[in-house]
Amino acid sequence: MTETRKSPYYTNPETRIKIDNLLKENARLESNLGKDSTKSEYGDTKVKQDRLFRQIKALDLEFYTIMVPENDRE
């Protein structure tokens, strides 16, 4: 049985592109952190990620709730 997705990520190509770009930015942020990163760098990255996740939430709440762990949600 196939699942019908109603999330804008799956039904709206423009929304999908926007979210994919936000996810790419998040991946870039993550890849710049390493074991030698300072607490400040981790904190700055967390602030930037929260901003990205808020943008994703505004675009598609359903996708956001699937993607972002419950303890990281606003």
Side-chain angles (χ1 to χ4, degrees):
M1 183 175 196
T2 53
E3 182 179 336
T4 303
R5 303 217 184 234
K6 296 184 179 174
S7 165
Y9 182 81
Y10 298 101
T11 60
N12 184 324
E14 290 179 24
T15 299
R16 185 180 195 117
I17 290 169
K18 289 176 184 177
I19 290 175
D20 284 348
N21 286 333
L22 293 167
L23 293 173
K24 286 176 189 174
E25 177 62 18
N26 183 59
R28 188 190 65 74
L29 290 170
E30 285 285 336
S31 69
N32 286 330
L33 292 175
K35 68 179 189 175
D36 61 340
S37 295
T38 65
K39 286 184 180 186
S40 176
E41 290 170 324
Y42 275 98
D44 291 344
T45 296
K46 177 70 174 143
V47 168
K48 291 174 183 175
Q49 286 178 317
D50 289 344
R51 196 173 304 134
L52 293 173
F53 294 152
R54 279 194 304 274
Q55 291 175 12
I56 291 171
K57 183 179 180 181
L59 290 166
D60 185 347
L61 181 59
E62 182 180 347
F63 186 84
Y64 169 84
T65 57
I66 293 167
M67 187 199 77
V68 178
E70 193 169 335
N71 60 337
D72 287 342
R73 295 182 199 159
E74 296 180 344

